[in-house]
Amino acid sequence: MFHKVLVAEDFDSISITVVQALNELSILEIDHAKYCDDAFLKIRKAIHDEAPYDLLISDLSFKTDHRETLLKSGDELIAAVKKVQPHIKTIVFSIEDKSFRIKSLFNNLGINAFVAKGRNSIPELKKAILSVFNNETKILSHELTHTLRDKSLIEIETYDISLLKLLSKGLILDEIALDFKNLGIAPNGSSSIEKRINKLKIYFKATNNVHLIAIAKDLGVI
C-alpha cells in the first residue's frame, strides 16, 4: 500500500473523512493542505528531503479568501506537481461532473483516477486508491462511468480550445480560418469553423459567441 499521501482539500469535514479512509487502508504517513500553494511546497520539500509522496489526492475547487495564492485550483496544482514529480500517482476527488473537463484531467494532466464526491464517495475513493496502487489506469467512480461513455457528447479537443481562444481575442471567422491555415490546423474553412462554433454553443448552452466565451472562461476551458 502507499506509504506517504498528501491530501489537498480546503474543507475540514471532507479532509477528516478522507484521512480516516486512508487510515483504514493502513497508510502510515498522511499530510494535509488547505491551499494549493502549501500542497506544492510540501511536495517540493518532500522531494528535497528524498522522501517524496507516493500519492496526491486533490480537489479541483478551492475557495478564495484573504490570502493571495499563485496556484488557485487543483488543475493548476496537479500541473505544477507533475513538472517536479512526473510519476506521482494522482487522484482527483471533486464534485465536478462535466465530461470534457474530467477527460482533460486524464488526457492532459495524466491523473490516475477521478472520484466524484457524493453519497457513496468514500468507499469509491478507497476502491480507487487500491486500483491506482495496483497500477490500474483511468479509474473512474461508478456514477460517472456512463457519462464519459456517452457518445452523444462532443469531445472538447485542442482544436476547440484554440478556436475558443481566438474567438475570445475578437477574431472573426475569416481571421480564424487564416490563422488555422497558417498554423496547419484542420479543418480551417470558414464554414467548418462556423459549424464547430455552433456545436460548442449547443454543448455549453450559450446564446451567442460572447456568452460562449464567458462560459468557457468560467469553466476553465480557456
Side-chain angles (χ1 to χ4, degrees), residues 114-116 120 124 127 139-147:
F114 186 100
V115 178
N120 198 42
E124 291 275 6
K127 287 180 184 177
I139 309 303
L140 190 69
S141 55
H142 179 73
E143 62 186 276
L144 287 174
T145 301
H146 176 72
T147 300

Side-chain angles (χ1 to χ4, degrees), residues 37-75:
D37 285 1
D38 291 348
F40 186 53
L41 286 174
K42 286 178 182 288
I43 292 282
R44 292 181 64 183
K45 185 178 185 303
I47 294 171
H48 180 268
D49 293 343
E50 298 184 355
Y53 290 96
D54 306 307
L55 173 66
L56 168 66
I57 300 175
S58 179
D59 194 358
L60 293 178
S61 300
F62 290 77
K63 283 198 172 183
T64 56
D65 57 16
H66 62 280
R67 176 173 165 177
E68 287 291 326
T69 57
L70 294 175
L71 302 174
K72 302 183 184 302
S73 69
D75 311 59

